[in-house]
Amino acid sequence: MKPPAPPALAALLLLWGCVASAAEWRGASPGVTPLPEVLRTFGKPSRHDSVRGEIVLTYATRTAPNGTRLVRFRFDPDDGLLRHIDVFPKRPPTRAELEKQFGPSCESGSGPEDPCYELEILPGNRFSFRYTTLGVQVLFERKRVKSLSYSVPSRPSPPPPAQPPPETVAKAQPEPEPEPEDTSPAPVSDPAPVAAPPPSSSSIELAPAIVEPEPSTSSSADALIQPAVIAPPGEDTATAPEPEEAIARKDDAPSFQDLLSLGGTYLQRAELSGSRGGQGTVMQPVLPALVDVYLDAKPSENVRSFVRGRLLYDPLDRALSTPTIQLDQLWVRFGIADHVFITAGRQQLKWGSSKVWNPTDFLRQPNPLPLDTFDLRTGVDMLKVNIPWEAMASNLWLIATADLRGPESQPIRYGGAARAEMVLGPSELSLTAVFQQGRRPRYGVDWSIGLERIDLNAEVALVRDSSTPLWEHTGTDFVPRTLGEPKVLASGGIATSFRFADIYRVNPRLEVFYNQLGTDDRALLTWLRSTNDFQPLYFGRFYGMAQIAIARRSILEPTLLLTLLANVRDDSYLSRVDFNLLPLRDVYVQAFLEAPFGARGSEFRFVPDPSVAELPATGLPLLRAGLSIRIKM
């Protein structure tokens, strides 16, 4: 019979097991949490990859958890358990907050059983705090927190067991411990900051920054770290616009940054539009294909260039039957003294927190198909200067633009914009002013806030002209419309998220739009189309949208999306059903069906009025259906 372990040995073994427990992040614990549990908690990721024998889920852009810019989970493919977490906080914590949450420096004389960090100097002006017993590593870059990594902790050597009787020695030998995993964070570039719900105070990486005075005595860590520095919040492209494809491809680079990344997207669609006219029901098929290819070069930490080209082809469309090449992005970016960041060239830029209507997105034309999964609009030519104000968690953007939309006498049109972004408690506020030759100044306010499970947003624009000519109907004729007082365009939305039956996530959203530049005169629909001045979803004065997304926890990540758009005063409606699936890694399948209903001749059921203008005969729209396959390369 095996003798009982002495009480002292049992206590030491218990203490050893407690010290070696991994720190968790929002309920996810390395070595414990399985992959389905992460999907159930955090929803559908933006990327699902298999890299170097690991399953990797990446949450970036719109899928990033509140208060973060990017989160990456790595799983063991054999047992499906979480192995490693990389968290890029939107507002990095201070040193005091790190020590309060995880523990002080090991040089401070903490007890042997207390978690503490060891300072590790890394190349490239980087260093880290490594909490060995917790499996936590905090990576600093340019003296501020870049990321926090959570992994299975390295266990200290257990105390030697008491010598058992000779006949039980073979049974009492402890099993060999597995080799500890490398807890260093994956060398990735900064993910693109996006408009996200404001940070929560529930976890350390999201805690508000506390500015502390410089200590009078400095240790080795004190000489490296500065008082609280807050990473600036940004927009979709911000100071370091990073395509999701490029982020994922840098996961396992042997160095801090790859010199060159290559990738792209292949999108093949098949669509069918149906209408009913004098010749009966007519079905019109199209087969548009799109190929995006990008090159992303970063020769140093402060210099980066990016180019994305696009090929469009449709054998069933006269305009696209000959392949068309477009330039989507072409820019170079560099920093000056880590305080000013300059980006020059064609860049993607999106302002506004609403999903369908963005009246404050002044530098781009509205998206004519906002419900489609791929935005075909190309970038804007500009010189963009970003000046972050870290102490106030704010950003100042100064932009200069130039295009060829001026009059024939002076085709080059110059312009500029200024935008300030700031974090106010649990909300984010942006103020914008835009000035362009030949146009009146435009001003905008964008505000968003996250309250527990509810997200609210609002955009308000003040304008005195329009990007397209405005017309009015005098009763017998159509004449240009003049604007006297400033006009208001405003949109707002409310969204929430909840689960049911443990495997479904539901995300309902309501959005409204008031357009003082719009009209209720249905006769203008035919006239605006005849002059090519019609803008979908900006014709009327009052619009609304109701949308609900239902995602099921599954390896195929199925998602059902139901949407209803309405031009309220025009009695015109558009219903749409989308179904998304991920059958293979980096292969996305989407099917949709949309059908208009409401008054005949309204915006979504348009039929030309021959008494207004001569237009090619078109039938009454019945439906539009499509199937698309998107492959990330």
Side-chain angles (χ1 to χ4, degrees):
M1 178 178 178
K2 182 178 178 180
L9 174 60
L12 287 175
L13 289 174
L14 178 61
L15 176 61
W16 169 59
C18 293
V19 170
S21 60
E24 66 174 25
W25 185 78
R26 299 197 183 182
S29 180
V32 177
T33 307
L35 189 149
E37 179 66 25
V38 172
L39 289 173
R40 183 164 61 247
T41 302
F42 297 94
K44 178 181 177 181
S46 55
R47 288 191 63 88
H48 187 295
D49 302 289
S50 178
V51 181
R52 291 192 177 183
E54 291 182 320
I55 300 173
V56 182
L57 302 184
T58 302
Y59 292 82
T61 63
R62 294 184 181 274
T63 65
N66 290 354
T68 67
R69 297 157 63 189
L70 182 143
V71 177
R72 185 179 294 108
F73 298 92
R74 299 174 182 267
F75 298 86
D76 189 316
D78 296 328
D79 56 20
L81 293 181
L82 180 62
R83 177 182 292 177
H84 193 93
I85 311 173
D86 289 317
V87 179
F88 292 81
K90 191 174 182 182
R91 301 177 65 186
T94 65
R95 177 183 174 184
E97 293 166 340
L98 290 172
E99 293 186 347
K100 181 179 179 181
Q101 177 74 11
F102 299 116
S105 169
C106 295
E107 298 177 357
S108 64
S110 57
E113 72 280 2
D114 297 329
C116 63
Y117 69 81
E118 295 179 352
L119 180 66
E120 181 177 359
I121 307 299
L122 303 172
N125 193 26
R126 298 180 302 147
F127 61 94
S128 71
F129 290 174
R130 185 184 291 272
Y131 292 87
T132 304
T133 59
L134 294 178
V136 174
Q137 183 176 20
V138 185
L139 177 65
F140 291 81
E141 185 174 301
R142 298 191 183 97
K143 301 181 180 181
R144 65 184 181 192
V145 174
K146 177 182 176 66
S147 65
L148 296 93
S149 297
Y150 300 75
S151 57
V152 179
S154 301
R155 298 190 176 191
S157 300
Q163 187 68 26
E167 64 273 12
T168 61
V169 169
K171 297 181 181 180
Q173 290 295 332
E175 296 182 1
E177 288 293 330
E179 300 223 355
E181 298 185 40
D182 183 10
T183 59
S184 59
V188 298
S189 59
D190 284 343
V194 298
S200 160
S201 59
S202 59
S203 57
I204 176 64
E205 73 280 7
L206 307 179
I210 302 173
V211 179
E212 299 175 337
E214 196 70 47
S216 55
T217 59
S218 62
S219 64
S220 57
D222 294 331
L224 292 170
I225 191 169
Q226 297 293 331
V229 181
I230 303 176
E235 56 200 32
D236 285 348
T237 50
T239 61
E242 183 79 275
E244 288 184 10
E245 302 97 322
I247 295 175
R249 293 181 185 277
K250 294 178 182 176
D251 287 352
D252 298 275
S255 61
F256 175 62
Q257 286 289 352
D258 283 339
L259 175 63
L260 179 67
S261 296
L262 171 66
T265 300
Y266 171 72
L267 175 65
Q268 178 64 64
R269 295 180 292 162
E271 296 184 4
L272 189 66
S273 300
S275 60
R276 179 180 299 142
Q279 300 179 352
T281 301
V282 177
M283 307 300 289
Q284 177 64 45
V286 291
L287 295 171
L290 175 148
V291 178
D292 270 4
V293 178
Y294 72 81
L295 294 172
D296 188 2
K298 192 167 184 181
S300 70
E301 291 187 21
N302 292 323
V303 179
R304 180 182 174 200
S305 62
F306 184 86
V307 58
R308 184 197 295 270
R310 177 170 298 168
L311 173 68
L312 299 172
Y313 173 69
D314 187 347
L316 304 182
D317 186 294
R318 292 184 181 273
L320 296 176
S321 58
T322 299
T324 301
I325 297 177
Q326 296 179 345
L327 179 63
D328 179 31
Q329 297 183 61
L330 176 64
W331 49 261
V332 61
R333 191 200 68 214
F334 57 91
I336 301 176
D338 289 340
H339 292 293
V340 179
F341 303 92
I342 299 175
T343 309
R346 177 167 294 187
Q347 310 161 49
Q348 281 289 348
L349 183 71
K350 180 184 181 298
W351 288 341
S353 53
S354 295
K355 183 172 183 178
V356 175
W357 296 279
N358 297 116
T360 62
D361 197 6
F362 296 124
L363 298 182
R364 300 201 301 175
Q365 291 293 320
N367 186 0
L369 298 171
L371 299 183
D372 284 6
T373 56
F374 202 93
D375 189 347
L376 295 176
R377 294 176 295 174
T378 56
V380 180
D381 298 313
M382 69 178 80
L383 174 67
K384 183 172 62 179
V385 179
N386 171 223
I387 306 174
W389 188 3
E390 297 170 340
M392 298 295 294
S394 303
N395 264 339
L396 175 63
W397 302 85
L398 302 175
I399 295 175
T401 63
D403 56 45
L404 297 175
R405 298 178 183 175
E408 294 183 1
S409 59
Q410 189 179 358
I412 300 180
R413 183 182 65 170
Y414 298 98
R419 180 178 175 89
E421 301 173 339
M422 59 204 77
V423 175
L424 302 176
S427 67
E428 295 182 359
L429 178 67
S430 299
L431 306 175
T432 308
V434 175
F435 311 91
Q436 284 180 317
Q437 280 184 319
R439 296 201 58 180
R440 306 296 295 272
R442 289 160 286 168
Y443 306 97
V445 178
D446 182 13
W447 173 79
S448 61
I449 186 172
L451 302 172
E452 297 295 335
R453 290 184 173 271
I454 297 178
D455 295 327
L456 302 172
N457 78 278
E459 295 182 50
V460 179
L462 196 65
V463 302
R464 301 188 67 173
D465 62 4
S466 173
S467 59
T468 58
L470 299 175
W471 298 84
E472 59 183 348
H473 191 193
T474 62
T476 58
D477 199 2
F478 295 90
V479 298
R481 178 183 171 188
T482 58
L483 299 180
E485 298 298 323
K487 303 300 180 182
V488 174
L489 288 77
S491 67
I494 179 173
T496 187
S497 176
F498 61 90
R499 297 185 178 277
F500 73 93
D502 194 43
I503 60 173
Y504 295 97
R505 176 188 288 271
V506 181
N507 297 279
R509 176 174 177 81
L510 296 176
E511 189 169 308
V512 295
F513 176 50
Y514 170 66
N515 178 22
Q516 205 170 1
L517 296 179
T519 178
D520 299 326
D521 189 350
R522 195 174 291 173
L524 279 170
L525 276 171
T526 301
W527 179 259
L528 291 176
R529 289 176 183 269
S530 69
T531 60
N532 292 322
D533 296 327
F534 174 71
Q535 283 190 339
L537 299 175
Y538 284 79
F539 168 76
R541 290 208 169 196
F542 294 96
Y543 288 89
M545 182 197 72
Q547 188 175 74
I548 182 169
I550 305 174
R552 187 185 189 279
R553 177 166 53 87
S554 167
I555 192 173
L556 299 179
E557 302 180 10
T559 302
L560 180 67
L561 186 64
L562 308 175
T563 307
L564 177 64
L565 287 175
N567 183 337
V568 180
R569 288 192 174 181
D570 194 38
D571 191 23
S572 185
Y573 307 91
L574 179 68
S575 60
R576 175 167 171 139
V577 179
D578 290 84
F579 182 73
N580 303 320
L581 205 62
L582 181 66
L584 298 172
R585 182 175 65 90
D586 289 337
V587 177
Y588 301 84
V589 177
Q590 186 241 359
F592 75 90
L593 173 65
E594 64 181 31
F597 62 96
R600 181 185 178 92
S602 59
E603 180 175 358
F604 298 124
R605 302 190 73 208
F606 173 71
V607 176
D609 184 352
S611 65
V612 173
E614 293 293 334
L615 286 177
T618 57
L620 182 68
L622 295 179
L623 59 87
R624 176 173 166 248
L627 176 68
S628 67
I629 299 177
R630 179 163 57 98
I631 303 174
K632 289 189 176 182
M633 300 182 293

